[in-house]
Amino acid sequence: MATILLGISGSIAAYKAADIASALNKDGHEVHCVMTKSATEFIPPFTLQTLSRNPVLVSLQDEKNSWKPGHIDLADRADLLVVVPASANTIANFANGLAPDPLCSIYLATRAKTLICPAMNGKMWDHVATQRNVAQLKLDGADFFGPDSNGMLACGYEGKGRLMPVDEILDYIRKSLA
Ligand SMILES: Cc1cc2nc3c(=O)[nH]c(=O)nc-3n(C[C@H](O)[C@H](O)[C@H](O)COP(=O)(O)O)c2cc1C
């Protein structure tokens, strides 16, 4: 069974990460959730802690229980880093090598495969800056699944930008691990 780091960033779709954490845990994987501060505005860490059966990492300043920084330990042990949902901001941080929080630091520190599942307003996704960041991350070896090309967005727009359906993300993760 795999050690999976589930990154969650600040999108209205963040609550869907709860189903991903629960399903991967039921599959028998060791699941560790890493949330951005913004993500905690959308879903409480406590929910993800309960469903993943592991403490949730939010702040680099929380890591005072061990000589080895928790985010580096997780980065070393990971078989897969999957970011669901990935915000435009977190994608930009990854693409530019910025490390303001545990999630972005883990992206830099791990050598595990990285799967990014974006969710955002369609105009944010289509913006040349976001597309440049996505292209850079693909060149750097990251894998993308989504966003969905159709559907009603929480911001009121219809079209591209939604998180891919949870069952399809789970299928994609299971195939990536096989
Ligand atoms: C109600 C609401 C919903 C949002 N949904 C998204 C979203 O789906 N995708 C996105 O990229 N940003 C979204 N944002 C903006 C991000 O939360 C914001 O850019 C934040 O700085 C992201 O930080 P993070 O990448 O560290 O999580 C939303 C903001 C609000 C207030």
Side-chain angles (χ1 to χ4, degrees):
M1 286 294 130
T3 299
I4 301 173
L5 308 188
L6 177 58
I8 301 140
S9 57
S11 158
I12 195 72
Y15 72 95
K16 296 182 182 176
D19 284 337
I20 307 262
S22 176
L24 293 177
N25 185 265
K26 284 182 184 147
D27 283 354
H29 299 298
E30 184 180 330
V31 181
H32 295 270
C33 295
V34 185
M35 303 178 74
T36 65
K37 194 166 182 305
S38 171
T40 66
E41 298 286 337
F42 294 91
I43 178 171
F46 189 52
T47 302
L48 290 156
Q49 174 179 304
T50 306
L51 294 173
S52 68
R53 302 191 177 177
N54 273 308
V56 174
L57 191 53
V58 178
S59 164
L60 291 164
Q61 279 68 46
D62 290 341
E63 304 177 7
K64 291 179 182 135
N65 295 331
S66 158
W67 67 268
K68 189 170 187 179
H71 68 282
I72 297 296
D73 184 48
L74 287 176
D76 286 346
R77 294 199 291 117
D79 297 301
L80 177 70
L81 168 63
V82 52
V83 187
V84 185
S87 68
N89 178 67
T90 288
I91 288 171
N93 283 340
F94 281 12
N96 288 285
L98 302 177
D101 55 32
L103 177 56
C104 297
S105 302
I106 283 171
Y107 169 70
L108 291 180
T110 193
R111 293 300 171 263
K113 184 172 177 175
T114 299
L115 171 62
I116 297 174
C117 301
M120 68 193 72
N121 167 274
K123 289 180 179 172
M124 290 175 74
W125 173 254
D126 281 337
H127 195 282
V128 64
T130 304
Q131 288 305 308
R132 189 170 58 232
N133 291 332
V134 170
Q136 183 61 57
L137 286 172
K138 286 181 179 173
L139 275 177
D140 294 344
D143 194 12
F144 276 77
F145 187 55
D148 213 342
S149 49
N150 285 304
M152 181 56 83
L153 298 165
C155 56
Y157 283 96
E158 182 146 11
K160 208 184 301 176
R162 273 166 63 95
L163 187 72
M164 291 298 279
V166 165
D167 55 341
E168 291 184 33
I169 293 174
L170 284 167
D171 283 349
Y172 199 93
I173 292 171
R174 287 168 182 144
K175 280 183 194 140
S176 299
L177 290 169

